[in-house]
Amino acid sequence: MRRRDGQELVTTVRALINHPDCSPSTNAAALPAINRGRQPSGLQDLTDRQRELVAMRYAHLMEAETGYRSGERLRRLSGEPRPAYDPETTTLTQRREAKVTELRALPAEEARMLGLERVSVRSLKRWAANTRRYGVSGCISGNWLRRSGGRPTITQEIREAIFAVRQETLHRSRISMKAKEGLIHQYVEEKFGPDTPVPTYVTLWRVWREWFGPGGTRQKYARSAARLEGTGGHVVVHRPGQVVALDTTEMAVMVRDTLFGEPTPVHLTLALDIYTHSIVAFRLTLVSDTSTDVAMLLRDVMMPLPLRDGWGEDMEWPYPGVPAALVAEFAGHKVAALPFFAPETITTDHGSVYKNHHLVDVQRVIGANILPARVLRPTDKHAVERAFGAVQSLLFEYLLGYRGVDVADRGQDPEADAVLTIAEMEHLIATWIVKIWQNRELGEYAPDWDPGGKHSPNTLFAAAMSQGGFSLNIPTPELYYELLRTHAVAIHGRRGVKIKGLWYDGDALNPYRDGPSSRGGKNKGKWVVRSDPRDRRFTYFQDPRTHHWHTLRWTGLPPAEEIPAFGDTRAHELLRAAKAAGLKPKSDAELLPLLLDLIGGHIPVTSWPTQMPKRKRKDHAREVLQGQAATADRPAAAAVSPPEPGEGMVVPLRQPQVWRQRAGDVASAVDDERRRRRQEAVPAQPGIPGSMSSSRRRRSIFAFPHDDDTTTQEGE
């Protein structure tokens, strides 16, 4: 074998045939000449006029082959067969010759316009052979789909110059195509000599757009994309739970908070399974989500959704292979028609909430990998972005309080239109997902094994269960504690453990007081305690012997009464206020009045909803919502007055009843704390004092004795 440059290679036929780069040539394959060496072409590559000519050619061919222009006797037209094409009296060769004579009798200009000016008997034979194999496409003229000649002016030298200029301009500021043309000329002249021909500006401009795009990208983004070229390919997802995408966005509907009933925007976090496009979990928060919210969202992905009140049998677990009664027996309640599984890979954006140490520990607990999407690779997370748009167009646009996607498109007063509370909106979204989204046809998201079929998220999950089975693995309620943040602390003999400035204690610490743990490494001798930043009233300790979880109460809590839940923000505010007031309490019980003042505020109850600043009202509403979420997530054994499943608090619009109830709870807690302090200060209750006149009469020497005293003296 010899190359074009004259280099020769001597080898055997055996080695050549078995070489990994050796493959059958398409030129020798049984393909039409127009398709050899390239992808097959068809009618879709022709213009409308060319398709008409192909249909005309096919009609002439069928008349010559069968005597009928349609190709079938049962579908013959009026006047068929013509005498020259009657299959009963003529042969195939005679009909072909008659057809050639007929076409040559056409005027030259008409025959040229119809593409029939050079038809011969050989042409008809070739068309007939190709039609039997490829259908109507066998009549396509090779001149219509001839091979493109490419760009002969783009030689190897010009190609090298273009890529060199491309690499150089990536690191410079953005320049015009005219300047790039000048750099290409400079490179060719200095590298290959002034006699090397260079294409025109228009040719270079077209080649640059074909190879590198239109060039509208900012320079810093173009450099980032160039660095990532070849770093990874497209991920093929072939089972549920293989990839779950998470994202958070501000919801386009105004809702009313559960405390003041004021309109406020909320953040919606979705967890979307990439394979089935099922929305397997979601959360509503008044502010952007935290690592604890993300951890509880992943827990929701792994837990079956309870069947809520008002949901009919059509919304119960419908997937074949695993009966609904069996799933309900394992879960302890009826299960809704929503997939649940242990996720393998979780794709997120580059928010700080997904990069902290807490989420690193969470992915170890659930056995998943949390991988941020690649920079400038929108395909990594495009499915969940499309899901947000679908939820908006299919649900949010129909609700009162919809704000639109732009300020210019916003209604006159969407805040006044808001009628749904956060609890009602959460129930509405859950019902819509189970009843509508999971049964909606996916369209372009059909699976690769049935691209033309009609599928919904539920049918895809059922098909996956029938193909690969289903692991009925429901996490235990104790998973809640394992997903909370950890604190390595020492146990104080009298005060318990100190978590972020507050002391917690309980009977579960008694066997381990004043003793170091057997833990080694960085936290040698310390004990691990977990806390929920949404509710700082409690922390949780796992007994190393029994592995049972125990609740440790804040030592500032009253013995019997309860106070409203408070989170990290309120706890930090409490410690700052205590420091500013110069307080150095001996126990956290002395901080309770200060905490109650912070929770309740100093404005009269009747004027709170109108005089309290909006930011402060939002903080209080967020604190209440986080406390309710923490109570709902906490296992029933450790929960404090857990709400009934599916029930939410309905808030009357523009009325402060809920806030007054919260203020009343705070006032009751303050009165109870003051009463407890008085009882501790005076253990023995004194008698009722007498009047002033009785004390003077008792000391007077002229006072007569009582009858009881006289009787007693006589008896003596």
Side-chain angles (χ1 to χ4, degrees):
M1 295 184 296
R2 178 178 297 177
R3 294 182 177 177
R4 294 181 179 180
D5 57 0
Q7 182 180 358
E8 293 184 354
L9 174 65
V10 179
T11 182
T12 62
V13 177
R14 181 190 297 272
L16 185 63
I17 293 177
N18 292 279
H19 196 277
D21 296 334
C22 182
S23 59
S25 174
T26 56
N27 292 329
L31 295 173
I34 58 175
N35 292 336
R36 294 175 185 171
R38 57 177 176 171
Q39 292 180 332
S41 56
L43 294 175
Q44 68 275 8
D45 299 311
L46 303 178
T47 62
D48 295 340
R49 175 57 180 167
Q50 290 173 342
R51 291 194 187 97
E52 294 178 1
L53 296 180
V54 169
M56 190 178 301
R57 281 188 172 194
Y58 184 77
H60 284 294
L61 176 64
M62 288 297 101
E63 188 176 22
E65 294 295 314
T66 64
Y68 307 96
R69 297 178 69 87
S70 63
E72 298 180 9
R73 182 178 180 180
L74 298 178
R75 299 172 57 189
R76 63 179 181 268
L77 303 176
S78 60
E80 289 186 347
R82 292 188 292 175
Y85 303 100
D86 189 353
E88 300 293 338
T89 60
T90 60
T91 62
L92 178 60
T93 303
Q94 291 175 346
R95 293 193 298 271
R96 288 175 177 173
E97 292 175 351
K99 179 59 68 175
V100 171
T101 303
E102 177 188 350
L103 296 178
R104 287 181 179 178
L106 294 174
E109 185 66 22
E110 183 179 350
R112 186 185 62 81
M113 293 179 62
L114 297 177
L116 302 173
E117 73 277 10
R118 296 181 181 179
V119 176
S120 62
V121 175
R122 185 177 178 181
S123 301
L124 295 176
K125 290 181 179 180
R126 186 176 66 253
W127 291 358
N130 291 337
T131 303
R132 282 192 294 268
R133 299 189 61 183
Y134 309 110
V136 183
S137 300
C139 297
I140 297 177
S141 174
N143 295 328
W144 298 342
L145 300 175
R146 66 179 184 272
R147 188 186 304 273
S148 174
R151 300 190 183 276
T153 57
I154 306 298
T155 60
Q156 188 64 29
E157 293 81 5
I158 302 301
R159 178 184 177 87
E160 179 182 339
I162 291 175
F163 276 94
V165 173
R166 160 70 173 175
Q167 191 64 28
E168 176 66 24
T169 54
L170 278 177
H171 303 283
R172 295 189 183 185
S173 299
R174 186 175 181 179
I175 60 177
S176 63
M177 188 62 209
K178 197 67 177 178
K180 296 174 184 176
E181 181 199 15
L183 294 178
I184 293 174
H185 278 272
Q186 178 185 358
Y187 185 91
V188 171
E189 183 177 355
E190 295 181 3
K191 198 74 178 286
F192 307 107
D195 298 332
T196 304
V198 180
T200 62
Y201 168 80
V202 176
T203 302
L204 292 176
W205 176 78
R206 290 177 177 174
V207 171
W208 194 280
R209 288 177 64 92
E210 291 175 2
W211 292 358
F212 310 118
T217 309
R218 299 291 184 182
Q219 281 297 98
K220 64 176 183 178
Y221 301 139
R223 286 192 293 268
S224 300
R227 286 196 306 268
L228 294 175
E229 288 181 357
T231 57
H234 183 68
V235 178
V236 179
V237 182
H238 54 273
R239 61 181 178 274
Q242 183 179 355
V243 178
V244 175
L246 298 186
D247 200 7
T248 303
T249 187
E250 188 172 297
M251 203 165 62
V253 179
M254 299 290 288
V255 298
R256 296 189 178 272
D257 61 66
T258 56
L259 190 59
F260 297 97
E262 292 187 348
T264 180
V266 295
H267 288 74
L268 173 63
T269 304
L270 290 183
L272 183 80
D273 177 48
I274 300 299
Y275 181 78
T276 63
H277 286 266
S278 300
I279 300 179
V280 290
F282 76 96
R283 289 255 168 169
L284 294 180
T285 54
L286 275 180
V287 294
S288 184
D289 52 355
T290 62
S291 60
T292 303
D293 296 323
V294 175
M296 295 303 153
L297 182 70
L298 297 179
R299 175 174 172 262
D300 294 342
V301 174
M302 305 171 64
M303 301 287 290
L305 179 66
L307 192 69
R308 303 189 180 186
D309 294 337
W311 289 4
E313 295 182 357
D314 58 327
M315 302 176 67
E316 195 174 356
W317 178 269
Y319 309 109
V322 182
L326 180 62
V327 180
E329 182 180 355
F330 276 86
H333 52 74
K334 290 187 176 181
V335 178
L338 192 68
F340 64 93
F341 42 72
E344 301 176 23
T345 302
I346 300 165
T347 303
T348 65
D349 54 22
H350 291 262
S352 59
V353 65
Y354 302 110
K355 298 180 180 180
N356 56 24
H357 296 285
H358 182 204
L359 260 295
V360 175
D361 189 49
V362 167
Q363 67 177 344
R364 177 192 59 80
V365 172
I366 66 177
N369 295 322
I370 300 179
L371 300 178
R374 294 172 295 177
V375 180
L376 297 178
R377 291 297 184 271
T379 55
D380 289 352
K381 206 166 57 69
H382 74 285
V384 68
E385 303 287 355
R386 291 287 301 273
F388 277 118
V391 174
Q392 177 172 309
S393 61
L394 297 176
L395 176 63
F396 292 162
E397 291 182 359
Y398 296 92
L399 302 179
L400 293 176
Y402 176 67
R403 298 185 300 168
V405 296
D406 191 86
V407 178
D409 298 331
R410 188 164 297 175
Q412 182 177 0
D413 192 2
E415 289 82 4
D417 295 338
V419 295
L420 296 176
T421 64
I422 297 179
E424 292 172 338
M425 176 61 73
E426 190 275 339
H427 185 72
L428 175 62
I429 295 176
T431 306
W432 181 82
I433 289 175
V434 176
K435 194 168 186 177
I436 298 179
W437 176 268
Q438 290 298 120
N439 298 289
R440 179 174 173 267
E441 185 179 347
L442 291 175
E444 67 272 16
Y445 291 111
D448 53 357
W449 44 268
D450 188 14
K454 296 183 178 181
H455 296 276
S456 67
N458 275 346
T459 59
L460 282 181
F461 186 72
M465 289 178 60
S466 62
Q467 292 174 0
F470 177 68
S471 176
L472 189 58
N473 185 14
I474 301 177
T476 60
E478 285 73 18
L479 179 63
Y480 164 79
Y481 304 112
E482 300 178 10
L483 297 180
L484 298 178
R485 62 185 181 184
T486 60
H487 309 273
V489 295
I491 299 179
H492 191 273
R494 293 182 295 103
R495 306 187 67 178
V497 294
K498 188 176 184 180
I499 306 296
K500 287 186 171 293
L502 300 181
W503 287 92
Y504 299 85
D505 200 357
D507 296 337
L509 300 181
N510 292 337
Y512 310 104
R513 296 183 185 275
D514 293 329
S517 70
S518 58
R519 180 183 299 272
K522 178 182 178 181
N523 299 319
K524 182 178 180 180
K526 295 185 178 181
W527 302 90
V528 174
V529 180
R530 298 181 180 268
S531 67
D532 191 338
R534 302 170 298 177
D535 190 353
R536 290 293 304 276
R537 296 177 299 173
F538 312 103
T539 58
Y540 308 98
F541 173 74
Q542 187 180 27
D543 195 310
R545 299 174 183 173
T546 62
H547 298 284
H548 292 164
W549 288 92
H550 302 276
T551 301
L552 306 180
R553 292 167 53 92
W554 177 43
T555 56
L557 290 178
E561 295 81 11
E562 295 294 340
I563 65 170
F566 63 95
D568 269 351
T569 304
R570 192 70 61 194
H572 295 161
E573 185 179 353
L574 167 65
L575 296 176
R576 286 196 303 267
K579 184 177 180 180
L583 297 178
K584 295 182 179 179
K586 298 180 181 179
S587 66
D588 283 7
E590 301 182 18
L591 294 176
L592 181 59
L594 184 58
L595 172 65
L596 296 176
D597 290 340
L598 293 175
I599 294 178
H602 301 282
I603 306 175
V605 176
T606 56
S607 59
W608 269 338
T610 56
Q611 296 189 13
M612 184 179 293
K614 184 176 181 180
R615 182 176 180 180
K616 194 171 183 180
R617 293 198 301 269
K618 187 174 182 179
D619 291 342
H620 281 287
R622 176 195 177 191
E623 194 170 40
V624 171
L625 184 62
Q626 287 184 336
Q628 294 174 352
T631 303
D633 292 334
R634 193 182 302 125
V640 179
S641 300
E644 294 295 331
E647 292 187 358
M649 183 183 299
V650 180
V651 180
L653 302 182
R654 304 182 182 278
Q655 294 183 11
Q657 281 87 344
V658 179
W659 173 247
R660 290 175 178 174
Q661 178 182 357
R662 177 176 169 85
D665 295 341
V666 174
S668 299
V670 172
D671 294 340
D672 294 339
E673 176 63 16
R674 290 173 177 173
R675 186 182 304 107
R676 184 183 64 83
R677 287 172 175 267
R678 289 195 299 267
Q679 292 175 355
E680 290 181 354
V682 186
Q685 184 175 4
I688 300 177
S691 61
M692 295 182 62
S693 59
S694 62
S695 60
R696 288 197 303 268
R697 189 166 51 250
R698 187 171 52 253
R699 293 194 301 268
S700 175
I701 60 175
F702 301 102
F704 292 98
H706 291 285
D707 296 338
D708 296 340
D709 296 341
T710 307
T711 307
T712 304
Q713 292 176 1
E714 293 177 354
E716 293 177 353

